[in-house]
Amino acid sequence: MTTNTPDVITFFDQDTFTCTHLVIDPDTRRCAIIDPVLDFDPASGRTSSKAVNPLIEAIKERELSVQWILETHVHADHLSAAPCLKSTVGGSTAIGFNVTTIQDTFANLFNVEANFARDGSQFDVLLNDNEAFSVGNIKATALYTPGHTPACMTYLIGDALFVGDTLFMPDYGTARCDFPGGDASILYQSVQHIFAQPDNTRMFICHDYLAEGRTEYAWETTVGEQRRENIHLHQDTKETEFVSMRTARDSTLEMPRLILPAVQINMRAGELPPPEDNGSRYLKLPLNIF
C-alpha cells in the first residue's frame, strides 16, 4: 500500500536560521530537498558547502535517490546550494512559475549582463499553481502563495505542507511583505488557501528565530495550530487588521544581512554570476537602493 506520509528530516542552519527539509518516500527511497543553504562569508566573498554536507551524508547513508531540489522562492537571507547538490547527489531544480517577475525586477536593479535569461530557464522546471508532481509514489501539488514575494510557492507533499517564508511558527507570526512585489493583502489571501487544508496537515516552515520565551528552535506545526494560534494571522483576523499590522511592522525592519548577494545568486538557480574578462566572478553592491 502506497503511503501518503513522507518522512521529513530537517537540517537547521543557525547562521541564517534556515530549515532545509529532506522529504522521503519510504517506499521508493526517492526524495526531495527543499530550500538548501550554501554558506557565504560576505567579508571574504567565499562560499562553502558546510551547511549541506550533513544533508549529503544523510542522503548517501540512507541510499536515497534525489528526485527534486525545490525552492519555495528566491530567498533574500541565504544563498541556494542547489548547484552543489545537483552535482553531488543529483535531482531536478524547480521553483514557481513567477520567478520570471523576480528575475526581471532584479536584473534591472543589478544591471546584470545583457544575456542574462529572464525566462526562468536556469531552473529545470517551473511549477504552476495547482500543478501536480510526485516524490516517489507520494502525490504532491505546487500551490501559488505570493505576498512575501510575487513568486512564493507552497509544496503539499502527501500530508505535509512546506510553506517557505509565508508563515513562521505560530508564536512568531508571518513573513514580511516589503520586498519588491510583496503585498500584505495578497499574503493574507495566500494564507487563507493554506488554512483551507485539513487541520491535521503537517506544516514545515523555512525559518525560525526563537520567539520570546522559547528556548529551542522549531519548524513543524499543523494547519490547525496555525489557524487557531498564529499571533499575526489566525482564523479570526480580518484582512484590514492584518494589512495594517504588517505594514507598520515592516516599516521597522532592517534589510536581511545577505539580501544583495542572495538575490543575485538565487535568481540564477544558485549559480554564481559568469566570470568577467579577468576570469573572476563578482557580485554587485548597488548604493542607496534600499
Side-chain angles (χ1 to χ4, degrees):
M1 181 176 177
T2 301
T3 181
N4 190 48
T5 304
D7 295 334
V8 180
I9 303 172
T10 300
F11 299 82
F12 185 70
D13 176 55
Q14 194 161 346
D15 287 345
T16 61
F17 305 99
T18 302
C19 308
T20 297
H21 304 294
L22 176 62
V23 188
I24 307 166
D25 173 13
D27 291 339
T28 65
R29 312 304 295 167
R30 303 196 80 183
C31 66
I33 300 164
I34 301 178
D35 295 332
V37 175
L38 183 72
D39 294 278
F40 177 69
D41 177 16
S44 66
R46 291 189 176 276
T47 63
S48 80
S49 61
K50 180 182 69 172
V52 291
N53 285 339
L55 168 63
I56 293 170
E57 291 173 7
I59 289 168
K60 292 179 177 179
E61 287 175 0
R62 290 168 172 78
E63 298 182 341
L64 304 177
S65 173
V66 178
Q67 189 173 355
W68 296 103
I69 302 170
L70 302 170
E71 302 285 4
T72 55
H73 62 296
V74 174
H75 302 275
D77 40 29
H78 69 269
L79 278 59
S80 171
C84 170
L85 289 168
K86 193 172 181 179
S87 67
T88 55
V89 293
S92 296
T93 57
I95 199 168
F97 68 97
N98 211 26
V99 68
T100 55
T101 297
I102 302 295
Q103 290 177 327
D104 196 48
T105 298
F106 285 98
N108 292 335
L109 188 150
F110 290 112
N111 194 30
V112 300
E113 67 276 8
N115 63 351
F116 172 74
R118 305 183 186 204
D119 59 1
S121 57
Q122 298 89 344
F123 299 86
D124 295 316
V125 178
L126 299 185
L127 292 164
N128 293 308
D129 186 24
N130 288 314
E131 182 168 346
F133 62 106
S134 65
V135 177
N137 291 332
I138 299 177
K139 294 180 179 179
T141 307
L143 305 173
Y144 184 43
T145 50
H148 173 55
T149 80
C152 290
M153 301 297 285
T154 290
Y155 299 114
L156 175 62
I157 304 174
D159 70 342
L161 275 173
F162 300 87
V163 297
D165 291 10
T166 299
L167 289 165
F168 299 125
M169 292 299 289
D171 59 2
Y172 205 86
T174 59
R176 65 193 297 167
C177 298
D178 59 332
F179 295 154
D183 188 296
S185 181
I186 292 175
L187 181 68
Y188 180 92
Q189 297 302 327
S190 292
V191 172
Q192 304 315 305
H193 293 309
I194 292 172
F195 283 177
Q197 299 295 325
D199 272 10
N200 62 352
T201 305
R202 295 184 291 163
M203 183 186 297
F204 294 87
I205 64 168
C206 185
H207 297 284
D208 188 45
Y209 303 99
L210 281 184
E212 185 175 355
R214 182 154 49 85
T215 58
E216 294 185 357
Y217 292 104
W219 43 76
E220 182 178 354
T221 176
T222 65
V223 168
E225 186 178 16
Q226 289 278 22
R227 188 188 294 117
R228 294 186 300 269
E229 300 177 16
N230 188 282
I231 61 170
H232 291 167
L233 179 47
H234 50 75
Q235 60 193 3
D236 298 321
T237 307
K238 304 300 183 185
E239 182 174 346
T240 54
E241 175 188 351
F242 173 73
V243 171
S244 177
M245 178 282 301
R246 191 69 263 174
T247 302
R249 183 177 175 86
D250 288 350
S251 69
T252 69
L253 301 178
E254 297 182 352
M255 284 294 106
R257 180 175 64 97
L258 295 181
I259 184 170
L260 296 177
V263 172
Q264 289 180 75
I265 289 173
N266 294 341
M267 70 179 183
R268 303 172 186 270
E271 296 289 352
L272 303 181
E276 299 195 6
D277 54 12
N278 64 352
S280 296
R281 303 173 190 267
Y282 295 91
L283 294 170
K284 291 185 177 180
L285 182 65
L287 301 177
N288 301 317
I289 296 294
F290 294 110

